[in-house]
């Protein structure tokens, strides 16, 4: 077959050959250009459709990269292309799709207006929404629907594509009392709340929103318009997903709210935690700077842990705080009695880690008598001065012999 052959019955061929060319999740995970410029994700509700229709002839490729390059072949316009993976930006502009074909997985890069995507089976109306008997919002609405989940029975062909997420598209829904009705929604509002049940930590301020599609302004001359969550673990009860993005529904004292960031996943469990060395205690899970309370060797009670980390939320006699088991006073120090001559200014540290300085105190052009030293994984040598008058750390960078 030459380069310009056309496949008109690919849907049937995929079904016939599916046993030969079955593609596992690993095929999608590995579908990354070596430069890292193309990363595809497997189909998921709203974000990556499981099937697409081609509206015109579409070249296909063995690898993603330059859509202007010579293709392997061309597919005719057709329906029901099985998607193995896609880029999250597909509804905003040209992107790469990994699809299943009788030749095995292949790549296509159509413009968004050259594809159609079936509408979702259901959407979640997050605010009061006018409903109409036809696609005409110049007439009074049939009803004003309260926030609810509704079943979708149709949509205009390019329901997913717009110049901005605020641009509106028509979606036909099934209502309990009025039968099928049309709603005119911004593309960003054509979404669904997937149930979720996990916890996330939010260190920096995140606005608590009633509408997951709201992106500002967040304040006015009179002050802030929304409350914020700072240094708090919240229960995530849902993920609001549309073709553009994902927002997160969280429990608050004011009821369910939405946050645009996922936060840091937290594992909630109660367990004792034994500290074998002096350990700094922080107010924030993600903030490592300045002076901190020092926990001497003891056993504390941990009730939260940042997932895939050694950062724990603990109860202590000083109150609740966060500690990082990777930031404890090292136990493999080497004793020394040799004097250390310091040239130039050297900041003092509470612990041998950057950021944990002792309130801006420095020593300059003096000789000190450290009791031990320690080399960190980066090759920086830290000296411990521990006497009756004070305890502090000094560092000497690998390339700095002063």
């Amino acid at each position: 077959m030459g380069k310009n052959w056309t496949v008109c019955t690919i849907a049937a061929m995929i079904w016939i050959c599916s046993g030969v060319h079955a593609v596992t999740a690993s095929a999608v995970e590995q579908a990354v250009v070596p430069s890292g410029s193309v990363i595809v994700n497997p189909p998921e509700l709203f974000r990556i459709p499981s099937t697409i229709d081609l509206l015109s002839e579409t070249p296909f490729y063995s690898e993603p990269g330059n859509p202007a390059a010579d293709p392997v072949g061309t597919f005719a316009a057709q329906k029901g292309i099985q998607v193995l993976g896609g880029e999250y930006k597909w509804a905003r502009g040209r992107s790469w799709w990994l699809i299943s074909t009788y030749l095995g997985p292949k790549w296509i890069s159509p413009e968004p207006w050259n594809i159609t995507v079936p509408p979702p089976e259901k959407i979640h109306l997050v605010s009061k929404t006018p409903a109409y008997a036809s696609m005409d919002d110049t007439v009074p609405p049939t009803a004003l629907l309260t926030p609810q989940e509704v079943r979708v029975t149709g949509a205009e062909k390019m329901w997913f594509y717009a110049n901005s997420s605020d641009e509106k598209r028509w979606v036909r829904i099934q209502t309990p009392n009025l039968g099928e009705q049309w709603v005119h929604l911004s593309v960003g509002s054509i979404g669904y709340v997937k149930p979720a049940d996990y916890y996330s930590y939010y260190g920096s301020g995140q606005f608590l929103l009633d509408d997951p599609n709201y992106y500002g302004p967040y304040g006015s001359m009179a002050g802030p318009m929304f409350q914020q969550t700072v240094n708090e673990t919240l229960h995530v009860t849902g993920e609001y997903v549309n073709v553009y993005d994902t927002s997160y529904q969280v429990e608050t004292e004011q009821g369910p709210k939405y946050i645009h960031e996922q936060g840091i996943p937290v594992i909630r469990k109660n367990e004792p935690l034994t500290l074998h060395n002096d350990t700094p205690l922080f107010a924030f899970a993600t903030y490592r700077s300045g002076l901190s309370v020092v926990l001497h060797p003891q056993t504390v009670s941990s009730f939260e842990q940042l997932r895939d980390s050694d950062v724990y939320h603990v109860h202590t006699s000083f109150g609740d705080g966060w500690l990082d088991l990777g930031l404890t006073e090292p136990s493999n120090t080497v004793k020394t009695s040799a004097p250390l001559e310091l040239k130039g200014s050297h900041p003092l540290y509470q612990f041998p880690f950057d950021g944990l300085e002792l309130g801006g105190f420095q020593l300059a052009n003096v000789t000190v008598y450290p009791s031990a030293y320690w080399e960190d994984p980066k090759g920086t040598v830290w000296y411990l001065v521990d006497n009756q008058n004070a305890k502090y750390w000094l560092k000497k960078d690998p390339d700095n012999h002063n």
Side-chain angles (χ1 to χ4, degrees):
M1 294 184 182
K3 281 186 178 178
N4 296 319
W5 58 273
T6 301
V7 178
C8 298
T9 57
I10 186 172
M13 295 293 283
I14 291 173
W15 181 81
I16 293 171
C17 301
S18 59
V20 178
H21 295 286
V23 179
T24 63
S26 62
V28 175
E29 294 169 359
Q30 296 171 4
V32 180
V33 171
S35 65
S37 59
V38 176
I39 300 178
V40 298
N41 298 273
E44 60 179 294
L45 181 68
F46 279 101
R47 297 306 306 276
I48 306 293
S50 58
T51 62
I52 59 175
D53 299 340
L54 300 180
L55 301 180
S56 61
E57 282 195 356
T58 303
F60 67 89
Y61 307 82
S62 294
E63 297 291 340
N66 180 11
D70 289 337
V72 176
T74 303
F75 293 138
Q78 58 197 278
K79 295 183 178 181
I81 300 294
Q82 181 188 355
V83 173
L84 300 175
E87 296 183 273
Y88 282 146
K89 64 180 183 178
W90 68 270
R92 300 178 185 269
R94 191 167 196 162
S95 65
W96 286 97
W97 300 87
L98 182 63
I99 63 172
S100 177
T101 82
Y102 78 99
L103 297 171
K106 296 298 178 185
W107 294 87
I108 58 174
S109 183
E111 300 284 5
W113 51 85
N114 285 329
I115 65 172
T116 59
V117 174
E121 295 181 358
K122 52 189 174 182
I123 60 175
H124 196 100
L125 305 178
V126 297
S127 60
K128 291 184 178 180
T129 304
Y132 301 87
S134 62
M135 290 190 291
D136 183 3
D137 57 5
T138 63
V139 299
T142 307
L144 190 62
L145 302 178
T146 57
Q148 59 187 286
E149 178 187 301
V150 293
R151 184 168 64 88
V152 174
T153 60
E156 59 178 300
K157 185 166 62 175
M158 298 294 289
W159 64 269
F160 57 87
Y161 182 70
N163 292 320
S164 74
S165 60
D166 294 329
E167 197 169 323
K168 291 186 175 182
R169 292 290 181 265
W170 286 99
V171 178
R172 189 177 65 219
I173 63 171
Q174 182 69 40
T175 67
N177 302 318
L178 301 172
E180 290 187 329
Q181 294 284 302
W182 290 90
V183 289
H184 206 193
L185 304 173
S186 66
V187 174
S189 296
I190 305 174
Y192 178 68
V193 179
K194 295 191 302 182
D197 182 14
Y198 59 87
Y199 290 84
S200 284
Y201 172 78
Y202 297 90
S204 58
Q206 295 290 325
F207 293 102
L208 299 172
L209 308 171
D210 295 315
D211 185 347
N213 297 296
Y214 186 84
Y215 285 91
Y218 298 107
S220 66
M221 295 293 290
M225 299 164 57
F226 302 96
Q227 288 187 323
Q228 288 183 290
T229 179
V230 179
N231 191 30
E232 191 174 3
T233 298
L234 296 178
H235 185 198
V236 180
T237 57
E239 296 180 353
Y240 178 84
V241 186
N242 58 31
V243 296
Y244 288 150
D245 210 347
T246 300
S247 295
Y248 302 87
Q249 186 183 68
V250 296
E251 283 184 348
T252 74
E253 294 180 353
Q254 294 75 39
K257 299 290 181 180
Y258 292 96
I259 291 179
H260 290 316
E261 301 295 330
Q262 186 178 19
I264 303 175
V266 164
I267 300 171
R268 285 206 153 181
K269 58 180 179 179
N270 294 305
E271 61 178 340
L273 202 63
T274 300
L275 308 179
H276 299 285
N277 302 299
D278 284 356
T279 303
L281 182 71
F282 302 99
F284 285 70
T286 54
Y287 187 70
R288 308 279 188 273
S289 184
L291 292 172
S292 67
V293 171
V294 178
L295 298 179
H296 298 303
Q298 60 184 283
T299 297
V300 295
S301 175
S302 167
F303 59 97
E304 290 182 336
Q305 178 186 3
L306 298 190
R307 194 173 69 189
D308 300 326
S309 79
D310 288 326
V311 179
Y312 294 84
H313 206 182
V314 297
H315 299 301
T316 77
S317 58
F318 299 101
D320 293 350
W322 294 88
L323 57 84
D324 186 342
L325 295 184
L327 295 180
T328 64
E329 191 164 79
S331 56
N332 57 339
T333 58
V334 179
K335 292 183 178 181
T336 182
S337 58
L340 177 65
E341 184 180 358
L342 301 176
K343 296 180 181 179
S345 296
H346 291 259
L348 307 185
Y349 292 81
Q350 188 180 20
F351 283 87
F353 305 102
D354 286 325
L356 301 184
E357 298 184 18
L358 274 171
F361 288 103
Q362 295 187 349
L363 293 179
N365 302 315
V366 297
T367 297
V368 296
Y369 295 86
S371 59
Y373 67 88
W374 174 70
E375 183 174 341
D376 68 19
K378 297 179 180 179
T380 300
V381 178
W382 295 82
Y383 290 90
L384 171 63
V385 178
D386 187 2
N387 53 44
Q388 293 180 345
N389 298 320
K391 178 179 179 180
Y392 56 84
W393 289 82
L394 297 154
K395 75 171 180 175
K396 293 183 68 176
D397 294 327
D399 298 328
N400 182 4
H401 300 290
N402 292 332

